[in-house]
Amino acid sequence: MSDKKAFPEHVAIILDGNGRWAEKRGRERTFGHQAGAANVKTIVRAAGHMGIKVLTLYAFSTENWKRPALEVRFLMRLFKNYLISQLRELVVDNVQVHIIGDVSALTESLQKEIDACERETAANDGMVLNVAINYGGRREIVRAAGLMAESVKKGEMDISEITEESFGSFLYPSASSDVDLLIRTGGESRISNFLLWQASYSELYFTPVLWPDFTEAELRKAVTWYTTRDRRFGGLNEEES
Ligand code: IPE
Ligand code: IPE
Ligand code: MG
């Protein structure tokens, strides 16, 4: 089976390199996060125009709490400001916003903005934007296992109904589709606990470009690269089958 998709439907991006971007300029890491947040606006708009259906952005991992408290606090404030300042534009652009991850660990005021943003964009039927905050791929899988166990315990499903498909339905719904193209900026070639289930057959695009420098043209470059891939999913390519 060969499935050369002309265009990636679900694109996920690991936004990495903000700190180094700032350090290169002799500035604090937080300066890089600010530039990174500004770039999120640019790339969200670009992805919408390009016709990407689902865009999932990794903004804060379950491991990022290890960073200095000041940096963490700054990031949390940035997330809140992003949601407040971008809401109107996201509504106008018909973007449906979801936050994936364990939001219960976030401050009440950030949770309030998350609720408002999700509620006010819920009826939008354009691009789905998932922002992963306090997200870990392992944690998402363990959460899904727990929800599924609960469902079995309640008698809503039988153990014999546990399949890859039914398991997938316990993941965060808005981000549960297979990731076609997974991009990581900032030069590292690792997944860092992002979308472990959904990325099982993703095309992986690693670029040295630091996130604040990742322009619309860079996104187009990644998508163009994707269109040249031969996605075999364990089968043979078109010429051989
Ligand atoms: C990514 O940039 C943003 C977050 C993880 C929140 P980094 O802060 O990891 O930047 P580098 O990798 O240190 O340059
Ligand atoms: C991955 O970046 C997490 C996010 C972009 C949110 P990190 O900078 O935290 O990853 P590592 O530590 O280099 O793997
Ligand atoms: Mg990093």
Side-chain angles (χ1 to χ4, degrees), residues 5-26:
K5 282 208 180 115
F7 201 78
E9 284 188 6
H10 186 175
V11 175
I13 311 180
I14 300 173
L15 319 176
D16 197 25
N18 292 348
R20 280 164 285 161
W21 185 90
E23 280 155 20
K24 262 174 52 183
R25 286 161 178 76

Side-chain angles (χ1 to χ4, degrees), residues 15-21 29 33 59-60 64 67 71 75:
L15 319 176
D16 197 25
N18 292 348
R20 280 164 285 161
W21 185 90
R29 293 176 54 81
H33 292 318
F60 194 89
N64 285 146
R67 296 189 179 200
E71 182 172 344
L75 283 166

Side-chain angles (χ1 to χ4, degrees), residues 69-231:
L70 264 176
E71 182 172 344
V72 170
R73 220 170 305 141
F74 187 88
L75 283 166
M76 294 299 156
R77 217 169 28 232
L78 263 188
F79 300 147
K80 193 168 131 188
N81 289 344
Y82 174 83
L83 294 173
I84 294 172
S85 69
Q86 289 308 290
L87 179 57
R88 191 175 315 165
E89 190 169 314
L90 291 163
V91 170
V92 170
D93 289 345
N94 198 22
V95 176
Q96 189 184 102
V97 183
H98 298 270
I99 306 301
I100 61 166
D102 181 4
V103 295
S104 70
L106 309 178
T107 62
E108 242 172 68
S109 66
L110 177 52
Q111 288 187 47
K112 233 178 73 191
E113 296 309 331
I114 289 172
D115 285 346
C117 195
E118 287 185 336
R119 204 175 44 242
E120 291 185 39
T121 62
N124 293 350
D125 58 4
M127 186 175 78
V128 169
L129 170 65
N130 296 301
V131 184
I133 302 178
N134 193 22
Y135 174 89
R138 286 187 174 180
R139 194 171 294 181
E140 181 180 24
I141 290 169
V142 168
R143 173 182 175 272
L147 292 172
M148 188 175 237
E150 219 169 90
S151 175
V152 170
K153 195 172 159 192
K154 283 190 195 150
E156 292 163 356
M157 71 183 282
D158 190 74
I159 290 181
S160 64
E161 291 172 309
I162 298 178
T163 60
E164 291 184 15
E165 206 181 16
S166 67
F167 188 84
S169 71
F170 290 96
L171 300 170
Y172 295 113
S174 59
S176 65
S177 63
D178 288 346
V179 171
D180 297 308
L181 171 62
L182 176 60
I183 298 170
R184 181 174 186 141
T185 63
E188 308 292 358
S189 306
R190 54 178 174 251
I191 304 274
S192 299
N193 202 13
F194 196 34
L195 302 173
L196 298 179
W197 178 277
Q198 299 88 331
S200 68
Y201 263 104
S202 300
E203 298 297 328
L204 306 178
Y205 184 87
F206 298 109
T207 169
V209 175
L210 303 173
W211 171 250
D213 292 329
F214 189 81
T215 55
E216 174 168 359
E218 294 291 342
L219 178 61
R220 287 187 187 277
K221 210 159 94 184
V223 168
T224 301
W225 170 84
Y226 171 88
T227 62
T228 67
R229 298 294 91 201
D230 183 19
R231 305 192 75 191

